[in-house]
Amino acid sequence: MGKTQKKRQMRRHNPMRVPDSHLPKGLSAATASSSKQEAILPIIQKMESLDAAERKWACVAVSNLIQNDPSTRRLLQGKNIVGALITRLSDSEEEVVIEAVGSLRNLCIDGGYDICAEMYNKHIMAPLTTFIPKISNILSQYLENPKTAPENAQRLVYEFADNVITILWCLSETSNKALNSVNQIATIPLLMSFLGAKDHLPLATVTSAAQCLYVLTDDNPPARNEVRSNGAYTACLLSIVRGDEESRKPNGKGKDVSDERETTLRVLCTGILRNVSPIPPPSIAATVNIDSELVLPTLLPVISSISLPEVSQRVQELIAQEDAVPEMEKLSLKHAPKNDHKSPAEIELERLERRLRTVQLAVEILTGVSATLPDPELEPDGEEDAHDDIDEMDGDEDAMSDDEGATELPQKSAPSALPSIVEPLLALIHPAPLSFPPTAGAASPHPPTTSVLSAIHICALECMNNVFLSLATPARLQSQGFASDADREAGPKIWERVWRALEAVGTNVDGPGQERRRDMWQIAVGVLWGVSLLWKGTLIPQEAQVHVLIQLCTAASDASVKVKCVGTLECLAQHPEAIDGNRFLISLIGAPSAVPTEPLLQALSALIDIYSDETAPYDANFRQGGYLDALTGCVETVRRLVRGIDRKRERDLRRRGEEVRDNLIAFIEYRRGLRL
């Protein structure tokens, strides 16, 4: 098993709000599935109009058309809307430029990596680079004396800057080339100037700056070093996280500190400080233990404060309210852009989505914390250093959670932080009514909510994976000791809660739009492996659960998923009542050349482990099923497989293969010697 590690190409704090991977590819498919295709041509034509008002209208119309509508977004993309909007960034009319930036920002958020990559390839960085000094200068003038600043300074500082920063944030997660381009412009000072002026600016814009900075400092040495080496920057971030008196007064008007944006800002600044740690003196932040003093106290209340079923229900109520509004009362795209004319229901839907995104972000940061929690068996005098890596075990990534009842974890081997992380995560795994699109292929009633709910489930699973691996130390697994009866009982409770969540996910994971269901199964099986490792021999295998694991292992095309299934079945097979549940493993070596190398090695290792005790009740399977002959017959195949593993490119796998090969030969000799 292995911990879930952050990978830039695999991680995005704000993923596509409306996933469209289930939609057919191609322009003709987008044309057929879009209900707004008649509006496309006028927009494209007016984008090039000599009338600035029409160009502005066209830019705004793009944002209106793509809202929660991936088909129309793809159709516009097929008509080169990205190139047309980038051209408008050099428009002679400032209002057109402002609206074009806003539309490009919305395309980034709603369209994801493909559109961001298209923007970069069509040279969006050139005009964006010219905007940075302009925003900086106007911000300085506005902060020094708002009355003498340019007439439109407030809009440029608020709306325009927010959109530019968001585009830079999205581009930074598109590719290393785009990230390097962002690194080469004066992005960090600009972002920190917004954070430093937090009390005088809207939280929306300040939060966008924090989001961009969070992404830039994640595994990006130039930005990371620039922030961590500036004591004023880190002190500013620390002040926001700690919620100092002045930091709790956004805009200087003492707004309610429970404002979602304020919470989001604190979470983001916590993530930034963790990204740039360890922080060197003389910064005041150098004296702070980031994980124990900031991350856990700040983030645990955030992930504990929300009920996903309640949010899902409220979203459904708001959708019903919107549907009940007569069409004639709704603003028409043909007559006026509706950006600033959102209904109360739309505003609350956005607020709920923002709150859910904050929870997702908090869990994401905690996943990194749980990946580096110290090994309690190796800590001298019970002290913890949150930056020490624990010994990682061979395997893959995943995690877990659910929604009812508190569960104690074994205290003997758990750092004090782990149980406090586990319980709120358990409440985030169980699907809510809007967590996935309907399995019949219909669209979600509210795609943004569905996207973020499923993302939270997956993040929680990944975090739980790391937590259980932090518990599953080699010493802990070897001793199999529990501090109390409550610790012994915790495993079965957690096991059942994960299975209840998976039952709610369902097994219909191959239809269009059901990718997240499949992802949850693939991650959750790693969690089941972690739980079964910790409580090996105490989990009573259920026939239905074993059957599902076998089906998943058989159907999976990903070798790592097969490995996790085999590992889980191995642990279940070592329960005294597992007379029938371990027969699947021997079938994997019946035709070893047809099984991928890693699952085959895992299956062989599992059989050796299971049947090393000839006195166990389930050893009857080994004797009656002719397992010794089956193992003997695959020795030469295993030798060839091991020889075929590249020593340089797959060093760990080669070492693992040689170990299993040697153990297999020794095991066969041992069982022959028993003469049973």
Side-chain angles (χ1 to χ4, degrees), residues 319-599:
I319 295 169
Q321 290 179 21
E322 280 291 282
D323 291 342
V325 176
E327 284 296 323
M328 62 182 296
E329 295 183 13
K330 298 180 180 179
L331 290 174
S332 171
L333 171 67
K334 295 181 179 179
H335 302 298
K338 65 174 183 177
N339 286 19
D340 301 322
H341 303 279
K342 294 174 182 175
S343 68
E346 288 176 318
I347 293 173
E348 186 172 356
L349 284 169
E350 289 185 356
R351 183 186 66 79
L352 290 172
E353 182 188 355
R354 186 162 56 245
R355 188 179 178 197
L356 290 170
R357 292 287 178 195
T358 301
V359 172
Q360 179 193 348
L361 170 65
V363 178
E364 177 186 286
I365 297 171
L366 286 172
T367 299
V369 175
S370 58
T372 55
L373 282 166
D375 185 341
E377 302 290 346
L378 305 178
E379 286 293 333
D381 302 323
E383 297 179 357
E384 298 180 8
D385 180 356
H387 297 290
D388 289 343
D389 289 333
I390 76 166
D391 195 18
E392 292 188 11
M393 301 163 63
D394 290 339
D396 207 346
E397 347 173 346
D398 283 327
M400 150 187 136
S401 359
D402 197 72
D403 67 341
E404 58 179 73
T407 305
E408 297 290 332
L409 284 182
Q411 300 296 311
K412 179 178 178 181
S413 65
S416 59
L418 288 186
S420 62
I421 294 177
V422 168
E423 187 51 41
L425 289 173
L426 285 170
L428 297 179
I429 183 179
H430 202 86
L434 290 178
S435 291
F436 308 104
T439 54
S444 164
H446 193 248
T449 297
T450 294
S451 174
V452 68
L453 283 174
S454 59
I456 288 173
H457 301 324
I458 289 172
C459 285
L461 285 169
E462 291 171 341
C463 189
M464 290 295 296
N465 174 71
N466 289 350
V467 168
F468 281 111
L469 289 177
S470 294
L471 289 171
T473 62
R476 173 75 170 79
L477 295 176
Q478 186 174 10
S479 68
Q480 284 297 298
F482 292 90
S484 66
D485 290 339
D487 294 339
R488 182 177 296 277
E489 295 170 0
K493 291 180 181 178
I494 296 173
W495 176 267
E496 289 305 317
R497 291 173 69 174
V498 176
W499 276 104
R500 285 201 300 275
L502 290 174
E503 289 169 3
V505 171
T507 56
N508 187 357
V509 300
D510 296 324
Q514 304 306 314
E515 295 84 2
R516 290 297 180 95
R517 292 182 192 267
R518 182 169 60 250
D519 291 343
M520 282 196 68
W521 273 100
Q522 293 181 349
I523 297 172
V525 73
V527 175
L528 294 173
W529 188 10
V531 176
S532 61
L533 272 172
L534 279 166
W535 284 274
K536 186 185 296 185
T538 65
L539 298 174
I540 300 176
Q542 304 294 320
E543 182 178 351
Q545 294 172 357
V546 170
H547 181 66
V548 169
L549 288 170
I550 291 173
Q551 281 188 319
L552 181 59
C553 184
T554 303
S557 57
D558 188 338
S560 66
V561 176
K562 291 181 179 289
V563 168
K564 289 180 278 190
C565 292
V566 171
T568 307
L569 290 167
E570 171 192 353
C571 296
L572 292 178
Q574 294 182 60
H575 188 278
E577 297 181 20
I579 303 300
D580 298 321
N582 52 25
R583 289 174 178 157
F584 170 71
L585 298 175
I586 197 68
S587 68
L588 291 177
I589 67 171
S593 58
V595 180
T597 301
E598 289 183 76

Side-chain angles (χ1 to χ4, degrees), residues 240-313:
I240 294 174
V241 173
R242 283 179 165 171
D244 293 341
E245 185 64 23
E246 290 304 313
S247 294
R248 288 183 176 271
K249 296 181 179 179
N251 303 317
K253 299 179 182 178
K255 289 186 179 179
D256 187 349
V257 298
S258 64
D259 184 276
E260 285 83 6
R261 292 193 188 278
E262 183 75 24
T263 301
T264 302
L265 179 62
R266 294 184 66 213
V267 170
L268 284 163
C269 290
T270 302
I272 295 166
L273 284 171
R274 191 167 197 283
N275 286 345
V276 303
S277 65
I279 298 167
S283 171
I284 188 174
T287 64
V288 177
N289 185 312
I290 301 297
D291 282 349
S292 63
E293 296 181 41
L294 295 182
V295 175
L296 295 176
T298 300
L299 303 189
L300 289 181
V302 173
I303 68 173
S304 304
S305 65
I306 195 167
S307 167
L308 300 188
E310 289 179 6
V311 172
S312 182
Q313 179 179 353

Side-chain angles (χ1 to χ4, degrees), residues 91 159 163 166 168 208 274 331 354 384 406 436 509 656:
D91 199 281
E159 178 187 332
N163 291 333
T166 301
L168 291 172
S208 293
R274 191 167 197 283
L331 290 174
R354 186 162 56 245
E384 298 180 8
F436 308 104
V509 300
R656 167 82 164 152

Side-chain angles (χ1 to χ4, degrees), residues 73-93:
R73 184 180 68 239
R74 287 186 168 191
L75 183 56
L76 279 165
Q77 189 178 1
K79 301 294 186 179
N80 192 32
I81 196 63
V82 170
L85 287 169
I86 291 176
T87 300
R88 296 277 68 81
L89 295 183
S90 303
D91 199 281
S92 57
E93 291 292 331

